[in-house]
């Protein structure tokens, strides 16, 4: 028994490393995309304002609906099958997801390359690149996230998978350090070759790692188990042994969801969080250029940029320990209060404290991204509540995750739209203008008595007022969220009791 357990654990560890490495091949590309795609089309390809807004609006619709759409297309065959007894993850599902990653991963990398070479009119290229990139990214994220449940045999194994995923995501963030050294709006040649190198590494990684996992699964798991033991080994949890009831229609499900108050308050908070995360990523180069470029060296800017992308993944390991002691709700509330406090301190200090400004720019992104890393735990709690309140035979986890994405992904599109609008309204500086920035925008005109602040001061106010406003709105929404403390424990007890204690303990993740 002990030897068998050791061999299983050893296999899980090696599989966890391969699973985590898939996050590396995504993050090395996605971090660079978030940082440079807006400035590339605005400053280099000279996209006009109307095309930019139209492209972002269409992308908003596509970005919101492709998660539940692809989730349904991927799993509809399994959801359509009548279920009774144990909730089973079949070996065919795992192999299907690995095959999808070996195909969609390289296509995702190729769609990343389409941003950095002008091959069509800027407006058309902007729209097509965004939709293609996000479509393949959604497919990769969907199957990679689903594999977490498919490959996790125990709570310990699932924690191991999460650990390596965070570790490799942190390693992938180092592409940001290197990108700052290649980025040059005046000479785009070397940055293009840098992106080609990243994409080639990602393509090879997706192909070989997913193939390796397929071979390992076929050779080491399937031949060693008969059908019954294979199903038991791959089962994430056991549902009550009852006859399948009439399935819930999508209309009935949406009606139930509309009455789920904690879900609605969470979505309201998370929409603001998604907006703030992408606002920080999209306007990081602008803040570095107009607030710090005259005071810090290029190498310092590269380090600052890299830290802001790497630290959230490392912080996540510490935040998880805090969640085990104090609960996810309380830790997220502390992070909102910290965001508000840091913003107020920076506002009072002013834009002339360079070192404090460096710390704030980096920490603002670190803590904002750190909050995002914890939200999957909250969604898991909402799945538990949905299961208990609506007396489901099986937890509708995939559908609930898709609905959260549907309602919160618009924040990703709102970020560049609202950011560019605020900059134009507040400073008079339009990033879509083709002429050089006027002196009156760069420096205040005292004689004119105009109330329009200079560009540097406008960037500073954007930097501090956006997190302050987001924190206040999020604290208001989060205070109405009641799924924590004794209520959360009662929900978990009811679900575990309903499913005879065979569920994986969510708090152990």
């Amino acid at each position: 028994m002990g030897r068998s357990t050791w061999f299983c654990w050893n296999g899980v560890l090696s599989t966890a490393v391969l699973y985590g490495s898939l996050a590396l091949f995504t993050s090395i590309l996605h971090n660079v995309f978030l940082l440079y795609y807006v400035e590339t089309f605005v400053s280099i390809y000279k996209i006009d304002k109307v095309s930019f807004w139209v492209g972002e609006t269409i992308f908003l619709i596509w970005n919101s609906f492709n998660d539940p759409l692809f989730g349904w297309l991927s799993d509809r065959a399994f959801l359509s099958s009548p279920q009774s007894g144990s909730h089973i993850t079949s070996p065919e599902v795992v192999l299907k997801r690995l095959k999808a990653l070996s195909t969609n991963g390289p296509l995702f990398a190729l769609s990343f390359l389409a941003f950095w070479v002008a091959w069509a009119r800027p407006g058309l290229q902007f729209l097509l690149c965004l939709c293609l990139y996000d479509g393949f990214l959604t497919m990769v994220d969907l199957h990679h996230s689903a594999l977490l449940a498919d490959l996790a045999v125990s709570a310990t194994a699932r924690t191991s998978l999460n650990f390596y995923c965070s570790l490799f995501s942190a390693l992938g963030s180092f592409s940001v350090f290197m990108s700052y050294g290649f980025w040059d709006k005046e000479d785009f040649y070397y940055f293009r070759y840098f992106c080609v190198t990243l994409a080639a590494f990602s393509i090879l990684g997706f192909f070989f790692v997913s193939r390796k996992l397929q071979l390992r699964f076929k050779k080491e798991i399937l031949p060693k188990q008969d059908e019954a033991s294979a199903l038991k080994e791959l089962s994430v949890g056991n549902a009550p042994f009852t006859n399948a009831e009439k399935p819930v229609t999508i209309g009935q499900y949406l009606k139930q969801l509309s009455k789920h108050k904690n879900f609605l308050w969470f979505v309201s908070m998370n929409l603001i969080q998604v907006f703030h995360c992408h606002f920080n990523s999209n306007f990081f180069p602008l803040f570095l250029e107009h607030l710090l470029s005259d005071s810090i060296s290029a190498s310092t800017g590269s380090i600052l940029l890299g830290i802001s992308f790497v630290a959230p993944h490392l912080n996540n390991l510490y935040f998880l320990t805090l969640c085990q002691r104090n609960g996810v709700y309380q830790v997220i509330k502390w992070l909102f209060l910290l965001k508000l406090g840091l913003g107020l301190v920076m506002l009072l200090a002013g834009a002339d404290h360079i070192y404090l400004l460096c710390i704030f720019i980096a920490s603002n992104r670190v803590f904002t991204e750190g909050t995002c890393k914890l939200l999957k735990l909250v969604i898991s709690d909402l799945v538990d509540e949905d299961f208990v309140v609506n007396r489901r035979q099986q937890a509708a986890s995939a559908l609930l995750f898709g609905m959260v994405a549907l309602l919160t992904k618009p924040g990703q599109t709102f970020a560049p739209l609202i950011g560019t609008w605020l900059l134009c309204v507040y400073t008079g500086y339009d990033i879509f203008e083709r002429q050089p920035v006027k002196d009156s925008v760069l420096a205040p005109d005292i004689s004119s008595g105009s109330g329009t602040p200079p560009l540097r001061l406008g960037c500073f106010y954007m930097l501090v007022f956006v997190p302050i406003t987001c924190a206040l709105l999020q604290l208001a929404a989060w205070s109405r969220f009641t799924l924590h403390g004794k209520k959360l424990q009662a929900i978990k007890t009811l679900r575990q009791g309903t499913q005879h204690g065979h569920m994986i303990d969510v708090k152990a993740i």
Side-chain angles (χ1 to χ4, degrees):
M1 178 68 180
R3 179 177 298 180
S4 175
T5 302
W6 185 88
F7 278 118
C8 284
W9 174 241
N10 185 52
V12 168
L13 271 180
S14 55
T15 299
V17 173
L18 292 172
Y19 172 82
S21 68
L22 292 172
L24 167 66
F25 309 131
T26 302
S27 62
I28 60 171
L29 303 183
H30 192 54
N31 290 330
V32 173
F33 160 79
L34 290 175
L35 203 57
Y36 295 110
Y37 89 93
V38 171
E39 191 161 4
T40 296
F41 275 91
V42 171
S43 302
I44 298 175
Y45 299 156
K46 310 299 184 184
I47 188 173
D48 62 274
K49 185 187 296 187
V50 174
S51 297
F52 181 81
W53 281 72
V54 169
E56 287 286 0
T57 302
I58 296 176
F59 174 60
L60 164 65
I61 300 171
W62 169 246
N63 191 31
S64 299
F65 283 94
N66 61 15
D67 282 87
L69 173 64
F70 289 163
W72 169 253
L73 292 176
S74 175
D75 291 353
R76 61 179 176 176
F78 312 117
L79 295 175
S80 298
S81 302
Q83 295 288 331
S84 63
S86 298
H87 178 66
I88 299 302
T89 302
S90 69
E92 289 77 12
V93 176
V94 177
L95 293 174
K96 177 186 175 182
R97 298 202 190 284
L98 291 173
K99 184 178 180 181
L101 282 172
S102 68
T103 302
N104 290 292
L107 291 175
F108 160 70
L110 291 175
S111 67
F112 167 80
L113 285 180
F115 283 93
W116 318 117
V117 177
W119 48 268
R121 294 180 59 184
L124 178 62
Q125 181 177 347
F126 184 69
L127 174 61
L128 293 178
C129 283
L130 279 180
C131 291
L132 281 174
Y133 178 85
D134 188 70
F136 288 119
L137 175 63
T138 299
M139 291 295 289
V140 170
D141 281 341
L142 176 71
H143 291 289
H144 188 246
S145 299
L147 275 176
L148 181 63
D150 296 337
L151 296 175
V153 179
S154 65
T156 305
R158 193 170 180 188
T159 302
S160 176
L161 292 172
N162 273 323
F163 172 81
Y164 282 104
C165 197
S166 294
L167 180 62
F168 278 100
S169 294
L171 291 175
S173 299
F174 279 96
S175 63
V176 175
F177 280 102
M178 297 181 287
S179 70
Y180 196 73
F182 290 94
W183 175 254
D184 186 352
K185 291 186 291 185
E186 305 302 325
D187 185 2
F188 209 45
Y189 179 82
Y190 293 105
F191 184 77
R192 286 194 180 106
Y193 273 95
F194 171 72
C195 291
V196 169
T197 303
L198 291 181
F201 177 75
S202 180
I203 290 171
L204 294 174
F206 271 115
F207 182 80
F208 285 111
V209 170
S210 58
R211 293 283 177 166
K212 177 66 175 176
L213 281 170
Q214 289 182 63
L215 292 174
R216 171 169 297 178
F217 191 79
K218 290 178 181 178
K219 293 179 180 179
E220 297 185 10
I221 298 179
L222 294 180
K224 294 181 180 181
Q225 306 175 71
D226 57 24
E227 184 177 1
S229 62
L231 294 177
K232 181 179 179 181
E233 180 72 8
L234 291 169
S235 178
V236 175
N238 296 317
F241 192 86
T242 58
N243 294 328
E245 297 180 357
K246 184 178 180 180
V248 177
T249 65
I250 188 64
Q252 291 171 327
Y253 179 79
L254 292 175
K255 185 177 180 180
Q256 292 172 347
L257 211 58
S258 67
K259 298 178 180 179
H260 194 169
K261 293 188 180 300
N262 281 324
F263 171 81
L264 298 177
W265 286 117
F266 172 79
V267 165
S268 301
M269 178 275 293
N270 195 19
L271 174 64
I272 301 170
Q273 188 67 23
V274 171
F275 163 81
H276 193 198
C277 286
H278 285 84
F279 175 86
N280 286 340
S281 299
N282 294 155
F283 291 94
F284 210 114
L286 184 74
F287 293 147
L288 287 182
E289 178 181 356
H290 295 294
L291 293 174
L292 298 175
S293 61
D294 294 334
S295 305
I296 62 174
S297 63
S299 60
T300 304
S302 176
I303 293 173
L304 188 65
L305 199 60
I307 289 175
S308 70
F309 277 82
V310 175
H313 301 289
L314 301 179
N315 272 352
N316 188 42
L317 302 177
Y318 174 66
F319 290 153
L320 285 173
T321 62
L322 288 179
C323 290
Q324 291 176 351
R325 292 201 302 265
N326 303 286
V328 181
Y329 175 86
Q330 196 63 40
V331 173
I332 292 177
K333 182 179 179 181
W334 289 342
L335 288 171
F336 290 156
L337 290 171
L338 182 61
K339 175 168 37 176
L340 176 61
L342 289 174
L344 292 173
V345 169
M346 193 68 246
L347 178 63
L348 294 174
D352 295 328
H353 293 77
I354 299 302
Y355 291 107
L356 185 59
L357 197 58
C358 289
I359 295 173
F360 177 77
I361 290 176
S363 63
N364 180 40
R365 191 179 190 285
V366 167
F367 291 123
T368 301
E369 291 289 335
T371 305
C372 291
K373 307 298 178 186
L374 301 178
L375 296 185
K376 285 187 178 181
L377 297 177
V378 182
I379 301 174
S380 299
D381 293 338
L382 289 170
V383 170
D384 294 339
E385 186 180 34
D386 176 71
F387 175 87
V388 172
V389 171
N390 295 298
R391 300 179 182 180
R392 304 198 186 283
Q393 294 297 307
Q394 297 178 13
S397 54
L399 190 54
L400 191 64
F401 270 89
M403 293 304 299
V404 170
L406 172 67
L407 297 173
T408 60
K409 269 197 170 182
Q412 183 176 339
T413 300
F414 290 151
L417 295 181
I418 294 177
T420 53
W421 176 76
L422 285 175
L423 191 66
C424 182
V425 169
Y426 194 71
T427 68
Y429 172 54
D430 190 344
I431 63 174
F432 298 96
E433 289 293 334
R434 303 296 168 242
Q435 292 80 16
V437 182
K438 298 178 181 179
D439 293 339
S440 59
V441 176
L442 290 172
D445 186 356
I446 301 176
S447 61
S448 66
S450 174
T452 302
L455 179 57
R456 184 175 187 276
L457 190 58
C459 288
F460 173 76
Y461 285 144
M462 274 183 61
L463 176 68
V464 295
F465 278 124
V466 166
I468 289 174
T469 304
C470 288
L472 290 173
L473 293 174
Q474 287 176 302
L475 284 169
W478 199 232
S479 65
R480 305 297 298 273
F481 187 84
T482 61
L483 189 58
H484 56 91
K486 292 182 179 180
K487 180 176 181 179
L488 177 59
Q489 291 303 318
I491 290 291
K492 288 187 176 296
T493 301
L494 286 172
R495 182 176 183 186
Q496 291 172 349
T498 302
Q499 300 194 338
H500 308 292
H502 292 300
M503 292 296 298
I504 293 176
D505 185 5
V506 177
K507 292 188 294 181
I509 298 174

